Amino acid sequence: MEKCRTSSRIIIIGAGVSGIAAATRLLQNNFRNIQILEAEDRIGGRINTVYFGDNVIDMGAQWCHGKQKNCVYDMVKDMGILHETGDYYCTIKRVRSNKEVLPHELASTIHDIAVRSMPSGPHPVLGSFGTHLTQTYWRKIESELPQVDRDVASEALNTFAKHECSIIGADNLFEVSVREHIEYHECDGDKLLHWGTKGYRRFLRLLMKVSEDTPEELGLLEGRIQLAKKVTKIELACPRKVILRCQDGDYFEADHVICTVSLGVLQEQHEKLFTPPLPAAKVNAIRGLTLGTVNKLYLEYGKQPFPDGWVGFFCLWLEQDLKELRKTEHFWVEGITGVHMITCQPRMLMAWVNGPHGRHMENLSDEKVLEGLDWLFRKFLTFEIPPPKRFVRSKWFSNPNFRGSWSLRPTKADERNTGPWDLESPVLGEDGHLGLLFAGEASSRNYFSTVHGAVEAGYREADRLIGHYSSCSVNA
């Protein structure tokens, strides 16, 4: 019997925002038999809003990045639930490891030079982000700020590069393709639109049509999500079906499967997860792209420990201090770009730690992490930061259901001539059946690493199935 929208069985692997977007889009287009299998014991994927401090914090996705051509912003722009960060962080300090605070005008001038040294426009198209940034930065320093202390300029460049790594998700900028700026499309407008006291989960609820009065309900997806259901085998079988096996022994059959697991999970598990093996082009993309690690540290105090006039600080390491740090057990704090306050949480500080240092931090005890932070504060600040009342952190890399935070385009993707376009392409069964589809932020051609990229990828694959069944009667 020929399948149609109402009779086709669709299983989505992953209840992150991409999977939820795909499911809701399908349900709103007369598909009836939709199930989501989620390995975690919660929905949201890399959106993880938790109660902490005076309201909530986001352990994963935190901001809506821009307004123009941003599907997340478009969905909520008239609801009054997104707020601009604006110039909240414009007075952030640049502090050297000898406790010297750079004058604001000098710090701003150097920062502006660094920003203008990043790849931009249609060129260049070859090489690494780090090489282009470094060479252009020093040329501009020589021509625009020749009188600056070279040690300070070098420290500032290192800090800027580390901060960019935390934005891109890279271990270092020399592994990032210079094409990152061409492939990734920034959305104009405030890049740090925040969700006030609601967190990013508010957006998940909107996707599912859940009222704010009943935030724990699943709305459109009520009864359609199975938690703690880890898929361990995906088999494209004949005739025209996909078989799924789970870690707990459960077995499912579907007409179509949309796989939204992270790039990190694909890299670790694709060889044993898929039968038959994935096509060479898709494996090339999985191996060629990178899922970076960026973690967050939240510290709650009885009252804000920063003095008036301080919103946060970036760490500028003197070369000798950095050499000495690397010999100690606190070496991982080199990965902390800086520490700052956050909007709507007046008693809190937040730090970012990424790359190999962020991965190492995940393996430390809370006590050791707090010792490292206390050491950092004493090294850089002339005032005391007391021990926090409470502390929480993310561990995205060590979680086997994620293995990282968000994707980026490395130089090895250039070498392999691959990208998200190969990751997004569906896999057909032997009979040509549209059996296996792929979504998730890493499969977004131009908005990878973002929530809006993940949402658009989910919509893209839902639309692929909607188009596939466009000739079927919705009343069949």
Side-chain angles (χ1 to χ4, degrees):
M1 175 180 166
E2 187 70 22
K3 293 281 187 174
C4 64
R5 294 188 188 187
T6 56
S7 62
S8 63
R9 302 162 299 172
I10 299 172
I11 291 179
I12 298 169
I13 304 174
V17 70
S18 200
I20 288 174
T24 54
R25 180 84 135 212
L26 289 168
L27 287 165
Q28 290 164 341
N29 282 271
N30 299 297
F31 288 82
R32 307 269 176 84
N33 195 343
I34 310 291
Q35 287 288 319
I36 302 180
L37 306 181
E38 169 55 52
E40 292 281 293
D41 60 2
R42 61 174 180 83
I43 67 168
R46 284 167 277 174
I47 291 178
N48 185 18
T49 305
V50 300
Y51 289 103
F52 193 76
D54 293 324
N55 41 81
V56 299
I57 54 174
D58 280 305
M59 303 302 292
Q62 182 170 347
W63 289 301
C64 175
H65 298 293
K67 298 180 179 181
Q68 300 299 318
K69 298 181 180 179
N70 184 324
C71 62
V72 173
Y73 178 77
D74 286 342
M75 197 175 301
V76 304
K77 62 184 178 182
D78 298 323
M79 298 181 180
I81 59 177
L82 267 182
H83 312 275
E84 293 197 1
T85 295
D87 60 1
Y88 182 80
Y89 293 112
C90 72
T91 60
I92 197 166
K93 313 289 187 183
R94 272 78 175 178
V95 185
R96 304 179 76 195
S97 54
N98 63 1
K99 296 183 172 61
E100 175 190 351
V101 179
L102 291 191
H104 180 71
E105 184 176 352
L106 174 62
S108 297
T109 300
I110 295 175
H111 177 76
D112 177 67
I113 290 174
V115 169
R116 291 187 287 108
S117 299
M118 294 196 296
S120 62
H123 301 287
V125 295
L126 294 173
S128 81
F129 192 116
T131 299
H132 180 88
L133 170 67
T134 302
Q135 293 175 349
T136 308
Y137 175 83
W138 284 114
R139 283 200 303 269
K140 290 183 180 295
I141 287 289
E142 291 293 339
S143 62
E144 299 178 28
L145 204 63
Q147 74 279 11
V148 72
D149 183 296
R150 287 301 183 268
D151 288 340
V152 170
S154 179
E155 294 158 17
L157 173 60
N158 290 338
T159 298
F160 180 85
K162 188 161 50 177
H163 180 58
E164 281 302 307
C165 282
S166 72
I167 294 172
I168 295 173
D171 284 9
N172 67 79
L173 292 182
F174 294 96
E175 74 174 20
V176 180
S177 169
V178 78
R179 290 188 60 83
E180 170 97 2
H181 79 284
I182 298 175
E183 306 294 347
Y184 179 79
H185 293 179
E186 284 201 352
C187 301
D188 290 340
D190 194 323
K191 302 299 188 293
L192 302 181
L193 296 165
H194 66 88
W195 301 89
T197 60
K198 304 298 182 183
Y200 227 127
R201 68 177 175 191
R202 182 73 187 101
F203 179 71
L204 290 178
R205 306 304 178 196
L206 289 170
L207 278 178
M208 298 186 296
K209 309 295 184 188
V210 174
S211 165
E212 240 188 304
D213 299 328
T214 55
E216 300 309 314
E217 293 185 2
L218 297 176
L220 291 175
L221 300 183
E222 198 69 53
R224 298 183 182 276
I225 300 177
Q226 296 191 47
L227 299 177
K229 192 65 67 175
K230 186 178 180 69
V231 175
T232 56
K233 181 65 71 175
I234 304 169
E235 180 183 353
L236 274 174
C238 289
R240 306 176 71 83
K241 68 180 178 182
V242 187
I243 297 171
L244 303 180
R245 302 182 192 278
C246 297
Q247 194 172 57
D248 61 6
D250 269 2
Y251 166 98
F252 298 86
E253 287 189 5
D255 298 298
H256 312 278
V257 167
I258 303 177
C259 181
T260 74
V261 302
S262 77
L263 174 63
V265 171
L266 289 175
Q267 289 172 333
E268 185 176 74
Q269 300 180 18
H270 75 87
E271 290 182 342
K272 59 184 178 182
L273 185 59
F274 298 97
T275 301
L278 293 174
K282 190 170 293 293
V283 172
N284 190 41
I286 290 170
R287 292 174 175 168
L289 297 171
T290 294
L291 191 74
T293 299
V294 182
N295 280 309
K296 300 178 179 182
L297 312 172
Y298 287 100
L299 302 100
E300 179 191 354
Y301 299 89
K303 64 177 182 179
Q304 176 55 236
F306 276 169
D308 290 345
W310 280 68
V311 70
F313 70 97
F314 285 122
C315 304
L316 275 64
W317 285 96
L318 276 68
E319 183 178 1
Q320 186 58 40
D321 286 344
L322 199 53
K323 288 179 180 178
E324 293 175 3
L325 169 69
R326 289 169 178 167
K327 300 175 185 177
T328 73
E329 66 175 324
H330 301 314
F331 71 91
W332 64 271
V333 302
E334 181 185 350
I336 294 178
T337 310
V339 183
H340 58 80
M341 297 165 57
I342 53 176
T343 53
C344 302
Q345 287 278 14
R347 299 183 294 112
M348 199 170 294
L349 293 179
M350 175 185 175
W352 302 76
V353 56
N354 64 289
H357 301 103
R359 291 189 287 274
H360 177 80
M361 180 278 303
E362 295 186 22
N363 297 318
L364 299 176
S365 66
D366 284 357
E367 291 74 20
K368 285 297 182 183
V369 174
L370 290 172
E371 280 181 21
L373 288 170
D374 181 64
W375 186 93
L376 185 77
F377 291 148
R378 293 176 184 276
K379 181 68 176 174
F380 278 84
L381 304 177
T382 58
F383 50 87
E384 183 179 353
I385 301 291
K389 290 177 59 179
R390 288 198 299 163
F391 164 71
V392 68
R393 54 181 162 151
S394 62
K395 298 180 182 181
W396 290 108
F397 178 75
S398 55
N399 187 319
N401 297 322
F402 299 104
R403 293 302 190 205
S405 305
W406 55 78
S407 65
L408 63 128
R409 182 178 182 83
T411 54
K412 65 179 178 179
D414 296 342
E415 296 162 4
R416 289 173 172 267
N417 192 28
T418 190
W421 50 89
D422 286 327
L423 198 59
E424 82 164 58
S425 59
V427 177
L428 306 182
E430 290 182 10
D431 52 3
H433 176 58
L434 183 63
L436 181 58
L437 301 85
F438 289 83
E441 56 84 13
S443 73
S444 172
R445 295 186 182 215
N446 302 124
Y447 301 114
F448 48 88
S449 81
T450 67
V451 173
H452 57 276
V455 171
E456 288 200 349
Y459 285 163
R460 180 194 69 222
E461 297 312 307
D463 290 344
R464 195 188 301 274
L465 287 175
I466 291 166
H468 179 72
Y469 285 100
S470 61
S471 61
C472 293
S473 169
V474 296
N475 297 314

